[in-house]
Amino acid sequence: MDILFGSKKLERLCHDEKLATRTIGTLSARKLQTRLDDLIAAANLDYAWKLPGRFHGLTGARTGQYALDLQGGHRLVIQPAQSPIPQQADGSLDLSKVTTIRVLLIGDYHD
């Protein structure tokens, strides 16, 4: 899968292990790299249900976004980045056709 980033700061955090360790801690930084590697290796977003990290859809203001657990309250928050967004006949998102995602947040979205 292809991964885009919501900002240069997020891209730097995902590619700089030392920065990630300073920002989110050693365990979260390690899990972040593992989650990103798993997503890159996945053929599409539907595979995320089978990956470690408790892939789950978000609700409320974050409807349409998905999260993977890192360590503690830290999450990797993503959303489909294709245009148009692939949909099933009932109008719901077709995860099996999502091959590009965007990283929106690394941290605790509950704050």
Side-chain angles (χ1 to χ4, degrees):
M1 210 170 358
D2 294 321
I3 299 180
L4 306 174
F5 299 91
S7 70
K8 289 287 185 187
K9 183 178 178 181
L10 280 172
E11 186 173 9
R12 201 168 46 246
L13 184 67
C14 290
H15 290 110
D16 186 335
E17 185 179 339
K18 288 181 183 180
L19 176 61
T21 299
R22 275 194 318 268
T23 306
I24 59 175
T26 303
L27 292 176
S28 283
R30 281 188 201 148
K31 287 186 179 186
L32 172 62
Q33 284 309 306
T34 300
R35 303 289 182 261
L36 290 170
D37 291 344
D38 288 345
L39 288 168
I40 289 168
N44 58 60
L45 195 54
D46 198 39
Y47 282 92
W49 295 111
K50 300 170 186 150
L51 299 174
R54 197 178 64 89
F55 179 73
H56 57 283
L58 303 178
T59 59
R62 294 199 175 272
T63 298
Q65 298 176 5
Y66 296 84
L68 289 147
D69 293 345
L70 299 177
Q71 179 66 29
H74 293 130
R75 306 284 188 273
L76 169 61
V77 179
I78 61 173
Q79 74 178 18
Q82 290 171 221
S83 182
I85 302 285
Q87 295 182 335
Q88 297 180 11
D90 66 0
S92 63
L93 177 64
D94 188 349
L95 293 174
S96 68
K97 293 183 180 167
V98 175
T99 58
T100 304
I101 58 171
R102 177 172 283 110
V103 174
L104 300 176
L105 173 75
I106 297 166
D108 188 348
Y109 55 78
H110 298 106
D111 290 342

